[in-house]
């Protein structure tokens, strides 16, 4: 039997929300990682190498998650 139109539409919209969130996460890493590396190397000379790496990873993850959330919420709002 063919799936009901509503469930098919719901699945497509949920997939679009998840894909846009994933795309936002990827873009956040792509943009923030190089920037964080340079800025941390230039301006955080007070930190050890381990602390610098931890800082870079923290700010990159935060930025990527924020973009993923925004993209997912935007796509969900458009779907309504």
């Amino acid at each position: 039997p063919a799936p009901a139109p509503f469930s098919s539409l719901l699945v497509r919209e949920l997939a679009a929300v998840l894909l846009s969130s994933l795309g936002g996460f990827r873009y956040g890493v792509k943009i923030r990682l190089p920037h964080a590396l340079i800025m941390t190397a230039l301006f955080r000379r007070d930190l050890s190498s381990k602390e610098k790496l931890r800082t870079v990873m923290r700010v990159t993850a935060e930025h990527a998650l924020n973009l993923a959330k925004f993209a997912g919420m935007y796509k969900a709002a458009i779907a309504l």
Side-chain angles (χ1 to χ4, degrees), residues 5-65:
F6 178 74
S7 67
S8 176
L9 177 63
L10 181 62
V11 168
R12 282 198 313 260
E13 293 298 334
L14 287 174
V17 168
L18 289 174
L19 285 174
S20 66
S21 293
L22 182 59
F25 185 85
R26 285 182 186 152
Y27 186 73
V29 170
K30 178 181 171 182
I31 295 301
R32 185 61 180 199
L33 183 62
H35 179 265
L37 282 170
I38 297 299
M39 298 305 280
T40 303
L42 289 176
F43 297 111
R44 296 302 306 262
R45 295 181 186 259
D46 58 319
L47 300 177
S48 70
S49 296
K50 189 175 183 178
E51 291 171 324
K52 285 180 184 180
L53 182 60
R54 194 174 293 141
T55 299
V56 168
M57 297 308 288
R58 181 181 48 80
V59 298
T60 301
E62 182 180 335
H63 188 252
L65 287 172

